[in-house]
Amino acid sequence: MYIYTVKPGDTLFDIAQKNGVTISALVAANQLSDPYKLPVGLALVIPGQSIRERSIVVNGYAFPGISDIALLGALQYLTYLSVFSAKTRIDGTITELNDTALIRKCYVNGVAPVLTLTNQRESGGFSGDIAHAVIADEEVKTKLIQNVMEYLDRRNYFGLNIDFEYVREEDRTLYTQFLLDFAAALRRVGYSFSVALAPKISQEQSGLLYTAHDYAAVGSIADKVIIMTYEWGYTYGEPMAVAPIDKVRQVLDYAVMEMPPEKILMGMANYGYSWTLPYKKGTAARPLSLSEIPQTAYSQYADIRFDDTAQSPFFRYYDSAGTEHIAWFEDPRSIEAKLKLVSEYGLGGVSYWNINTLYRPNWAVLSGMYGIEKVFGQG
């Protein structure tokens, strides 16, 4: 496996001939909806023999409504599938998910299903108030742990992932104790336990996303730690790469000093955004599915460029009204660059947010570089 960047005048026939592969193999590996429309600068995966250094752990977050096409296209490349999400209520109860069929498909395909527990409101959005209600009251916390354990057993989950965000700074110690209590309950019956953390670069980092997340403590408690190394470019932020590699490195430089590297699953973004220019604070970017990028760039007569500092692709275009836009996203080059960090830092693996949209080039790059650890064989 290697990566080829489309040049002016290239056709898929020429690229296939030049690289000794079939057109059908290129179309399949790169999920090309129209193989005759290749924007200049598009990165293509050239299928071929791969030399894998080692096997790694791969987690993918998925919502229960994921299509069979996206799910079955991803399962062979996953160790864990984290179902998102059971939402915590302030009384210690949780919302239930339409997850039975999803769990069954995981086991059939040799993937361990994991329940993700969040402090999201039922209407959406993370809530520090919900987190405080369940971690500050011993009775409510005990009730929550009991309810989660019962749900894991009833639905036949393999483990639990906790993703609590916007936890108050003053609740830092309480949150750590909350994780300790959960870990003890889970380990008594053999469940796996992972925790998602915001991307910090220092212990003293300020901000509601960061202050309650104690890297050293969580690293000692959890089996795996998912670090959310994405969303520098986000819906209501200014235009920039979603996961610029220089920013990801800063997080990993700090993380490996606070916890065993082999416990870390580096976050990988499976999406992009398009912003309207000139950017106005508070305006929303439009989410982009990675599979739609080639068609979008070609239809807008846009050349795809690559930022060497961020190691991320982007393109500018004008819509039918003459308004300028810029799109930042992930492609095989940016995916390969980030996956190399797994070996460089000695990490345990990666975690994808999220796999609800299928992007085959990602799986081609991943499987070309690493084997995938499985916790049990396929059924």
Side-chain angles (χ1 to χ4, degrees):
M1 183 281 302
Y2 61 97
I3 297 167
Y4 178 86
T5 303
V6 175
K7 299 174 177 59
D10 273 346
T11 67
L12 205 63
F13 176 80
D14 295 333
I15 296 168
Q17 289 281 94
K18 211 181 300 185
N19 292 283
V21 295
T22 64
I23 290 176
S24 60
L26 281 178
V27 170
N30 293 282
Q31 202 174 338
L32 298 174
S33 58
D34 191 334
Y36 298 102
K37 297 179 178 179
L38 300 178
V40 172
L42 178 68
L44 297 174
V45 177
I46 307 297
Q49 188 173 6
S50 301
I51 300 174
R52 297 172 181 144
E53 293 183 22
R54 63 186 180 97
S55 293
I56 64 172
V57 172
V58 181
N59 177 68
Y61 283 101
F63 294 90
I66 185 172
S67 69
D68 280 347
I69 290 175
L71 179 63
L72 298 177
L75 283 177
Q76 65 180 302
Y77 306 105
L78 299 179
T79 312
Y80 304 103
L81 184 134
S82 293
V83 184
F84 198 90
S85 73
K87 297 173 181 178
T88 304
R89 300 190 181 104
I90 60 173
D91 64 353
T93 59
I94 61 173
T95 60
E96 298 208 359
L97 297 167
N98 182 18
D99 52 5
T100 305
L102 190 54
I103 293 167
R104 183 178 66 252
K105 288 170 185 174
C106 283
Y107 281 115
V108 167
N109 289 276
V111 174
V114 171
L115 176 69
T116 300
L117 179 71
T118 67
N119 60 321
Q120 285 188 321
R121 303 177 189 90
E122 291 187 55
S123 59
F126 288 89
S127 168
D129 292 339
I130 292 175
H132 179 78
V134 298
I135 67 179
D137 186 308
E138 287 295 324
E139 186 176 335
V140 174
K141 179 171 64 174
T142 299
K143 181 179 177 182
L144 174 63
I145 293 173
Q146 290 172 344
N147 283 329
V148 170
M149 297 298 290
E150 185 275 334
Y151 189 83
L152 294 174
D153 181 62
R154 176 159 49 91
R155 295 298 176 94
N156 198 27
Y157 273 103
F158 185 84
L160 180 72
N161 167 245
I162 290 183
D163 180 11
F164 269 38
E165 302 182 27
Y166 297 105
V167 181
R168 300 172 188 170
E169 181 177 5
E170 59 268 27
D171 286 341
R172 177 183 171 107
T173 301
L174 286 171
Y175 181 57
T176 299
Q177 185 59 52
F178 171 74
L179 297 178
L180 277 167
D181 293 343
F182 246 116
L186 291 162
R187 288 189 177 120
R188 275 197 294 271
V189 287
Y191 287 116
S192 71
F193 183 40
S194 62
V195 177
L197 293 179
K200 295 178 68 166
I201 60 173
S202 72
Q203 186 177 8
E204 298 78 24
Q205 188 167 348
S206 60
L208 191 55
L209 267 175
Y210 311 103
T211 50
H213 285 182
D214 185 333
Y215 269 39
V218 175
S220 68
I221 296 167
D223 300 319
K224 298 294 179 188
V225 179
I226 295 168
I227 302 181
M228 296 179 282
T229 42
Y230 37 73
E231 287 288 274
W232 278 273
Y234 63 101
T235 305
Y236 289 101
E238 0 184 313
M240 67 179 295
V242 173
I245 200 165
D246 53 327
K247 303 291 187 185
V248 174
R249 279 186 175 280
Q250 288 180 332
V251 175
L252 295 179
D253 286 342
Y254 169 63
V256 297
M257 293 192 301
E258 296 287 352
M259 65 183 77
E262 62 272 16
K263 284 193 174 188
I264 297 172
L265 303 185
M266 177 182 66
M268 299 283 288
N270 185 39
Y271 58 93
Y273 290 112
S274 174
W275 287 264
T276 300
L277 298 177
Y279 169 72
K280 293 179 183 177
K281 190 173 181 179
T283 57
R286 180 174 70 89
L288 292 175
S289 165
L290 299 183
S291 61
E292 72 180 276
I293 297 296
Q295 188 86 8
T296 302
Y298 186 89
S299 66
Q300 300 297 336
Y301 307 100
D303 290 353
I304 296 173
R305 304 188 182 280
F306 196 76
D307 184 280
D308 288 331
T309 301
Q311 288 286 290
S312 296
F314 67 96
F315 63 90
R316 294 173 181 265
Y317 65 98
Y318 291 87
D319 63 24
S320 58
T323 303
E324 189 178 11
H325 302 265
I326 186 169
W328 286 92
F329 55 99
E330 301 293 324
D331 76 356
R333 293 168 294 184
S334 65
I335 291 166
E336 180 184 52
K338 280 186 271 288
L339 287 175
K340 286 179 179 178
L341 299 179
V342 175
S343 289
E344 181 180 335
Y345 285 86
L347 307 181
V350 293
S351 174
Y352 286 89
W353 179 264
N354 60 64
I355 65 162
N356 272 60
T357 56
L358 178 63
Y359 182 57
R360 289 195 185 95
N362 169 74
W363 303 124
V365 175
L366 173 69
S367 60
M369 296 175 67
Y370 299 105
I372 313 301
E373 287 188 20
K374 296 286 187 177
V375 293
F376 49 77
Q378 293 187 5

